[in-house]
Amino acid sequence: MSVIANTPKPPYYAVIFTSTRTEGDDGYHEAADRMVELAQQQTGFLGIESARECIGITVSYWANLDSIKQWKANTEHIEAQKMGRQSWYDTFKIRISKVERDYGQLIDESH
């Protein structure tokens, strides 16, 4: 999988999750991997990009707002959200935006 999501022609939506972490792991990495795996199974999921230094930024891409609502309501995701608030994050913010335009170049990984 590419580090940069190969998204379709706009419009589509981006959920931008920005966070600062608490000390320790407490199951975070396993849960984060599971959330990516689970999101990939959701209708309307288009891709994900993530980076962490002093702050973490994860951007997931979705076909429409209804897909985002369904993902937010996923039972396993709700449990991960609770753990995030209780154990994993000092601070976080979620932003949802409509992608109207994108451009750039991705490397064809099939070669």
Side-chain angles (χ1 to χ4, degrees):
M1 175 173 16
S2 174
V3 187
I4 297 176
N6 188 10
T7 49
K9 183 179 174 186
Y12 53 88
Y13 289 85
V15 175
I16 305 156
F17 178 74
T18 308
S19 64
T20 58
R21 287 282 322 277
T22 57
E23 294 293 323
D25 184 73
D26 196 24
Y28 174 79
H29 290 295
E30 292 84 5
D33 290 344
R34 175 64 181 147
M35 289 304 103
V36 171
E37 177 185 309
L38 192 60
Q40 290 171 335
Q41 298 171 19
Q42 299 295 301
T43 301
F45 176 82
L46 302 174
I48 192 165
E49 300 163 345
S50 190
R52 178 163 292 284
E53 278 293 325
C54 296
I55 63 168
I57 299 175
T58 299
V59 182
S60 58
Y61 300 99
W62 300 86
N64 52 54
L65 290 172
D66 190 52
S67 297
I68 295 168
K69 283 182 189 175
Q70 289 177 22
W71 171 235
K72 183 172 173 47
N74 177 285
T75 306
E76 264 188 85
H77 188 213
I78 289 170
E79 286 304 311
Q81 291 170 47
K82 286 179 189 174
M83 281 298 297
R85 286 189 297 275
Q86 293 170 0
S87 302
W88 297 327
Y89 301 114
D90 280 327
T91 60
F92 68 91
K93 186 154 185 109
I94 298 166
R95 298 167 176 99
I96 299 174
S97 44
K98 185 176 184 181
V99 177
E100 304 263 345
R101 182 175 168 204
D102 73 13
Y103 52 91
Q105 178 177 333
L106 294 177
I107 296 172
D108 182 356
E109 293 182 348
S110 63
H111 294 104

Short mmCIF file of all heavy atoms in Angstrom, two decimals, residues 2 18 26 32 37 47 51 57 62 66-67 73 86 91-92 95:
data_model
loop_
_atom_site.label_atom_id
_atom_site.label_comp_id
_atom_site.label_asym_id
_atom_site.label_seq_id
_atom_site.Cartn_x
_atom_site.Cartn_y
_atom_site.Cartn_z
N SER A 2 0.54 2.22 -0.80
CA SER A 2 1.27 3.47 -0.86
C SER A 2 1.08 4.27 0.42
O SER A 2 0.08 4.13 1.11
CB SER A 2 0.76 4.29 -2.06
OG SER A 2 1.35 5.57 -2.07
N THR A 18 -6.33 14.94 14.29
CA THR A 18 -5.08 15.47 14.80
C THR A 18 -5.03 15.19 16.30
O THR A 18 -6.03 15.41 16.99
CB THR A 18 -4.99 16.99 14.54
OG1 THR A 18 -5.25 17.22 13.15
CG2 THR A 18 -3.63 17.53 14.88
N ASP A 26 -0.22 0.96 25.90
CA ASP A 26 -1.52 0.50 26.43
C ASP A 26 -2.43 -0.06 25.33
O ASP A 26 -3.61 0.22 25.30
CB ASP A 26 -2.20 1.65 27.18
CG ASP A 26 -3.34 1.18 28.08
OD1 ASP A 26 -3.34 -0.01 28.47
OD2 ASP A 26 -4.25 1.98 28.35
N ALA A 32 -4.86 0.72 16.68
CA ALA A 32 -4.74 1.58 15.49
C ALA A 32 -4.69 0.74 14.22
O ALA A 32 -5.37 1.05 13.23
CB ALA A 32 -3.50 2.47 15.60
N GLU A 37 -7.65 -1.61 9.42
CA GLU A 37 -8.19 -2.83 8.81
C GLU A 37 -9.72 -2.77 8.73
O GLU A 37 -10.32 -3.08 7.70
CB GLU A 37 -7.75 -4.03 9.66
CG GLU A 37 -8.27 -5.36 9.22
CD GLU A 37 -7.86 -6.45 10.21
OE1 GLU A 37 -6.66 -6.55 10.54
OE2 GLU A 37 -8.76 -7.19 10.67
N GLY A 47 -9.33 5.58 1.35
CA GLY A 47 -7.90 5.50 1.65
C GLY A 47 -7.57 6.21 2.94
O GLY A 47 -8.43 6.85 3.55
N ALA A 51 0.75 10.29 9.82
CA ALA A 51 2.11 10.67 10.20
C ALA A 51 2.11 11.07 11.67
O ALA A 51 1.11 11.59 12.18
CB ALA A 51 2.60 11.84 9.34
N ILE A 57 -1.21 13.10 12.81
CA ILE A 57 -2.25 13.51 11.87
C ILE A 57 -2.60 12.30 11.02
O ILE A 57 -1.73 11.72 10.37
CB ILE A 57 -1.80 14.68 10.97
CG1 ILE A 57 -1.46 15.89 11.82
CG2 ILE A 57 -2.89 15.01 9.95
CD1 ILE A 57 -0.89 17.06 11.05
N TRP A 62 -13.25 9.45 2.28
CA TRP A 62 -14.55 8.78 2.19
C TRP A 62 -15.34 9.29 1.00
O TRP A 62 -15.24 10.47 0.64
CB TRP A 62 -15.33 9.01 3.49
CG TRP A 62 -14.59 8.47 4.67
CD1 TRP A 62 -13.64 9.11 5.41
CD2 TRP A 62 -14.70 7.16 5.21
NE1 TRP A 62 -13.16 8.28 6.39
CE2 TRP A 62 -13.79 7.06 6.29
CE3 TRP A 62 -15.48 6.04 4.89
CZ2 TRP A 62 -13.64 5.91 7.04
CZ3 TRP A 62 -15.34 4.89 5.66
CH2 TRP A 62 -14.43 4.84 6.71
N ASP A 66 -22.47 10.06 4.47
CA ASP A 66 -23.14 8.92 5.06
C ASP A 66 -22.13 7.83 5.44
O ASP A 66 -22.25 7.20 6.49
CB ASP A 66 -24.21 8.37 4.11
CG ASP A 66 -25.08 7.33 4.79
OD1 ASP A 66 -25.61 7.63 5.89
OD2 ASP A 66 -25.21 6.22 4.23
N SER A 67 -21.12 7.61 4.60
CA SER A 67 -20.08 6.62 4.91
C SER A 67 -19.32 7.02 6.18
O SER A 67 -18.98 6.16 7.00
CB SER A 67 -19.08 6.53 3.75
OG SER A 67 -19.71 6.05 2.59
N ALA A 73 -20.23 5.30 13.74
CA ALA A 73 -21.17 4.48 14.52
C ALA A 73 -20.76 3.02 14.63
O ALA A 73 -21.42 2.24 15.31
CB ALA A 73 -22.56 4.58 13.91
N GLN A 86 -9.98 8.02 27.08
CA GLN A 86 -9.58 7.62 28.43
C GLN A 86 -8.08 7.42 28.59
O GLN A 86 -7.54 7.74 29.65
CB GLN A 86 -10.29 6.32 28.82
CG GLN A 86 -11.78 6.45 28.98
CD GLN A 86 -12.47 5.09 29.11
OE1 GLN A 86 -11.83 4.04 29.10
NE2 GLN A 86 -13.78 5.12 29.23
N THR A 91 -4.79 15.28 23.83
CA THR A 91 -5.69 16.18 23.10
C THR A 91 -5.96 15.60 21.72
O THR A 91 -5.15 14.84 21.19
CB THR A 91 -5.06 17.59 22.91
OG1 THR A 91 -3.84 17.45 22.18
CG2 THR A 91 -4.81 18.26 24.24
N PHE A 92 -7.11 15.95 21.16
CA PHE A 92 -7.39 15.56 19.78
C PHE A 92 -8.45 16.48 19.20
O PHE A 92 -9.20 17.14 19.92
CB PHE A 92 -7.85 14.09 19.68
CG PHE A 92 -9.19 13.81 20.29
CD1 PHE A 92 -10.35 13.90 19.53
CD2 PHE A 92 -9.30 13.44 21.62
CE1 PHE A 92 -11.59 13.64 20.09
CE2 PHE A 92 -10.53 13.18 22.19
CZ PHE A 92 -11.68 13.28 21.42
N ARG A 95 -11.71 17.01 12.14
CA ARG A 95 -12.27 17.94 11.15
C ARG A 95 -12.73 17.13 9.95
O ARG A 95 -12.05 16.20 9.53
CB ARG A 95 -11.21 18.95 10.72
CG ARG A 95 -10.70 19.81 11.85
CD ARG A 95 -9.44 20.56 11.41
NE ARG A 95 -8.96 21.46 12.43
CZ ARG A 95 -7.97 21.17 13.26
NH1 ARG A 95 -7.36 20.00 13.20
NH2 ARG A 95 -7.58 22.04 14.16
#
